[in-house]
Amino acid sequence: MIKFSTIILIDDDPINNLINKRLILKNESTENVEVFYEAELALEYIKNLDKNSIALILLDINMPVMNGWDFLNYYMEHLSFRMDKIIMLSSSIDFQDRIKADSYNCVKGFIEKPLTPEKFQSIL
């Protein structure tokens, strides 16, 4: 099992974040789970992480102001040197979203909500 220095949840839904944070902490894959309801705040946090650290980022697609695609575009332009593992975690069942996610080389997977222990294990 890989231990990440930080796991970052980016989702505007507080219930999803609460449930996902508890599930992740139970798994003991990290001691540090950071929750962001806005993608812009997550990007600011990531910019300040140690350049050698590797974060697991669980990213929702549909959020107000900056959505998941906007986040990915910014990440690719300004933070592509990082070795983070980004997983799209979305309620979207649109196959086009999966194809679009695959077009970003920083995205390592696409999981439909809800996050379960089995789904979480599959991305570690």
Side-chain angles (χ1 to χ4, degrees), residues 57-73:
I57 302 169
L58 301 178
L59 176 65
D60 188 23
I61 294 174
N62 297 311
M63 295 179 287
V65 185
M66 179 183 266
N67 65 30
W69 306 124
D70 297 331
F71 174 94
L72 290 172
N73 290 331

